[in-house]
Amino acid sequence: VNLDAPYTFDGVDDFFYVADHNDFDLSATLTMSAWIKPTGGGDTWQLIMTKNGVDGDNDRAYALWYKNSGQIYMYLGDDSASTNMNTSGGTIADGTWHHVAATFDNSSNTGKIYINGVLSATSTSLTTSPYNTGKRFTIGAVSDNDGSSAAEFQGEIADAKLFSDVLTAAEVQEISQKINYDISLGSIGNLVGWWKLMGAVTDSGGSGHNLTAVGSPVQ
């Protein structure tokens, strides 16, 4: 049993990032996965993870969002060309842990969002695909390389995973069993990074994409 406390994000200036790297340029297929425990309040739109900046300079990317009305959104694109999809309102309750995951396959323009291992939303019209933005990968906020940030998450995030392929429904259900589920116990592959965010901020996936903290996320 892992008794390490997760990091708490204050909703003001706390987030983690990995510097720009080709491993995060996922234009064809991807899966974003994390456990979140929002505490209520903060911005209407709160970032779970993303590869993007905040300066509106046409950098297309991908993002997994929490909206404080209880919805989860997946976003692809920028202000000039973007598509997104979302779950219904009220799905995510404040003060409660939830596993959230989103997948994208550009061969069929299909996106799916799962809540606690159960398919919650599907779209076949995500016509904008992400591409290399040259920006950092962030958890807990959207941030440019110069350090400016927005849409800071308020609450706790743990067990953030990023994959370069589309996880099946069965695989999503598998990783939603518990926080920091070790995918090496099964047959899930194509892991870009795994950040437990419970004590360690190193990349537990072995790719060396360790996190750098900004602000003062605390345990």
Side-chain angles (χ1 to χ4, degrees):
V1 177
N2 188 338
L3 299 179
D4 293 332
Y7 281 93
T8 298
F9 300 76
D10 65 5
V12 178
D13 59 0
D14 293 347
F15 64 94
F16 291 93
Y17 75 89
V18 179
D20 177 45
H21 192 282
N22 291 341
D23 287 354
F24 295 92
D25 298 334
L26 308 177
S27 60
T29 55
L30 63 86
T31 297
M32 296 174 281
S33 166
W35 286 82
I36 65 170
K37 184 181 180 182
T39 57
D43 291 342
T44 299
W45 295 93
Q46 301 179 25
L47 204 288
I48 301 170
M49 68 175 71
T50 187
K51 177 73 159 65
N52 202 358
V54 297
D55 55 10
D57 60 354
N58 298 327
D59 282 333
R60 298 178 182 174
Y62 49 86
L64 183 63
W65 295 83
Y66 162 71
K67 189 177 181 182
N68 66 10
S69 56
Q71 295 166 283
I72 297 297
Y73 277 71
M74 179 168 61
Y75 171 91
L76 305 166
D78 56 44
D79 291 338
S80 65
S82 65
T83 54
N84 63 74
M85 60 177 296
N86 62 278
T87 61
S88 59
T91 304
I92 302 296
D94 291 339
T96 303
W97 281 107
H98 296 271
H99 179 260
V100 298
T103 68
F104 170 68
D105 184 347
N106 77 344
S107 68
S108 58
N109 299 324
T110 298
K112 295 181 180 181
I113 299 176
Y114 298 83
I115 306 295
N116 299 323
V118 178
L119 182 63
S120 182
T122 301
S123 173
T124 57
S125 59
L126 299 181
T127 56
T128 302
S129 298
Y131 72 101
N132 179 13
T133 69
K135 298 295 179 68
R136 57 177 54 169
F137 174 83
T138 56
I139 296 174
V142 58
S143 171
D144 281 327
N145 292 344
D146 62 9
S148 59
S149 64
E152 291 83 359
F153 187 85
Q154 184 167 311
E156 297 171 338
I157 302 174
D159 190 11
K161 292 183 174 83
L162 179 67
F163 300 86
S164 60
D165 70 345
V166 177
L167 266 63
T168 66
E171 289 172 331
V172 172
Q173 188 175 52
E174 180 180 336
I175 64 174
S176 71
Q177 293 179 58
K178 64 178 181 179
I179 294 177
N180 286 324
Y181 174 79
D182 188 349
I183 64 169
S184 68
L185 300 175
S187 58
I188 301 173
N190 298 303
L191 182 67
V192 175
W194 173 19
W195 304 276
K196 294 182 178 181
L197 293 171
M198 301 180 81
V201 293
T202 54
D203 179 4
S204 296
S207 297
H209 298 307
N210 300 332
L211 297 173
T212 298
V214 176
S216 300
V218 298
Q219 290 181 281

